[in-house]
Amino acid sequence: MSSFAPKAKKAKRNENSATNYDMNEYFEGIDNIKYTPAAGPEDTLCFKHYNAQEVVHGRTMEEWLRFSVCFWHTFRGTGADPFGFPTLHRPWDDGTDSMDNAKRRLQAAFEFFTKLGIKYYTFHDRDIAPEGENLAETNRNLDEMTDLALELQQKTGVKLLWATCNLFANPRYMNGASTNPDAHVFAHAAAQVKKGLEIAKKLGAENFVFWGGREGYHTILNTNVLSELSHMANFFKMAVAHKQKIGFTGQLLIEPKPKEPAKHQYDYDAMTVIGFLKHFGLDKHFKINVEPNHTTLAGHAYEHDVVMASAFGMLGSVDSNTGSPDLGWDTDQFPMDVKNATLVMKTIIGQKGLQPGGLNFDCKVRRESTDVKDMFISHIGAMDTFARGLKSAVKIIEDGVMDRHVQERYKTYKTGIGAKIENGTTSFEELEKYILENGEPELLSGQQEHCEAMLNYYV
């Protein structure tokens, strides 16, 4: 989810600051992004496919896609990696963890959201507010920063899609948060999420996400797996209780990932999370926030977790990014593959939308993409990709050819012995008798290549 690791030291304050945030324009020379369908290949600062108010399959594109910008990669990302120093130097960011700098970043972010035409954003608590020397100071910083965020939301109409807590960057969480073997650390994580839920309510967040980057293990030799999973379940139950106590109405979400930074994460993939939630009686309170880059890290196809979560009524939101499966780590690239977007959007349309979730661009520009305009171009390209995916998915659904092909493949379950299997009203004995009377089944082609060729027709 995040490459941003905040410093665990006192946030600097300038009590006499005369900064007037409203007077600044941080993206000079870049106007509001327009829909220009006739634009050429080098015209990358305009939408060629995303037309927010265009009605597609009964809703506007804006309503179907519910795009969101993530604050951490877009406004806290520096381009640093394990082999190199920061390359992204933004004119509004002086590199300090002062409150003044935090306010400039937030002001710049809302200008970016507005010029891009996106109605939602997401953040970790530690993205927007510097961590103080203790919890009380940290919470005061959050109060001050969320006061400004609320003011900017009201001024621009941009809403908070979801908030989350950074329970992985601070050294205290090196052995996990809710799965930490030290109860003192567990308690600190609980206090942090308590405040996180409260600011989520304050800002009208439509969801709240849990990502357990360090909820897992590196070696089984020092790990009590059942104890850690049970503690994590109790942590989530406390979160549900506090959500209900304060009257926060947003949807709680868990974001699966198989590894990194933990060698093995407990929320490995969608089905692992669904099994965990059902086992501990939490499935009525949580849904899943799928990040496709995490899905491919788990060895699945791009759309796999989206499809699986949706099939069980558990798909809540999508961190719409992509990765490079050949690399084997979380690269958080912008999604530019129309075929992948089509498969995701076909699933979302099939469940009648993603609300109150959305398509959150949990993506970062490459460390080599150092121009400020690259921030816009990357988001525009991804938004156009999903707009094309939406239109392609609608064509597939409205034509009905591919869906009829799938229905035909399973037709034997509509009548006779198949209907009994479908309804759970048969037995091994009856099925054995059926085979003795009817003999060997014929081989029926799955026609995979035929399906792939049909998909190519629509994309």
Side-chain angles (χ1 to χ4, degrees), residues 436-451:
L436 291 172
E437 292 175 353
N438 292 275
E440 190 72 18
E442 62 177 305
L443 296 180
L444 301 174
S445 174
Q447 297 184 314
Q448 177 176 328
E449 297 78 8
H450 178 60
C451 294

Side-chain angles (χ1 to χ4, degrees), residues 27-36 39-48 112 115-116 371-381 384:
F27 298 95
E28 291 186 80
I30 298 178
D31 297 325
N32 291 353
I33 306 303
K34 295 181 174 60
Y35 172 59
T36 314
E42 290 191 301
D43 300 323
T44 53
L45 276 172
C46 64
F47 298 117
K48 302 181 184 71
F112 180 79
K115 288 188 170 181
L116 191 59
D371 292 344
V372 167
K373 69 178 181 180
D374 294 326
M375 297 169 63
F376 284 91
I377 292 169
S378 54
H379 283 86
I380 292 166
D384 266 352

Side-chain angles (χ1 to χ4, degrees), residues 430-439:
E430 185 177 11
L431 293 170
E432 178 189 47
K433 180 182 178 184
Y434 177 85
I435 291 300
L436 291 172
E437 292 175 353
N438 292 275

Side-chain angles (χ1 to χ4, degrees), residues 405-426:
H405 183 83
V406 173
Q407 292 167 10
E408 177 69 15
R409 192 171 181 224
Y410 291 90
K411 67 180 182 181
T412 61
Y413 288 92
K414 299 302 179 186
T415 60
I417 196 67
K420 286 189 171 185
I421 295 172
E422 182 85 6
N423 298 328
T425 57
T426 187

Side-chain angles (χ1 to χ4, degrees), residues 53 60 81 100 115 160 232 264 274 297 300 349 380:
Q53 298 309 311
T60 64
D81 66 18
D100 274 347
K115 288 188 170 181
L160 184 59
M232 184 163 67
H264 171 81
I274 291 170
L297 282 178
H300 304 310
I349 295 169
I380 292 166

Side-chain angles (χ1 to χ4, degrees), residues 6-74:
K7 299 174 183 177
K9 66 179 184 181
K10 183 177 177 65
K12 299 175 184 176
R13 291 176 176 271
N14 182 356
E15 300 296 343
N16 299 315
S17 173
T19 304
N20 186 339
Y21 302 105
D22 285 327
M23 291 178 64
N24 295 319
E25 182 179 358
Y26 299 96
F27 298 95
E28 291 186 80
I30 298 178
D31 297 325
N32 291 353
I33 306 303
K34 295 181 174 60
Y35 172 59
T36 314
E42 290 191 301
D43 300 323
T44 53
L45 276 172
C46 64
F47 298 117
K48 302 181 184 71
H49 302 279
Y50 177 63
N51 182 7
Q53 298 309 311
E54 180 180 344
V55 176
V56 179
H57 203 62
R59 296 183 193 173
T60 64
M61 282 193 174
E62 185 175 77
E63 291 169 332
W64 277 120
L65 297 167
R66 293 173 61 84
F67 288 133
S68 170
V69 174
C70 81
F71 193 87
W72 55 100
H73 286 319
T74 313

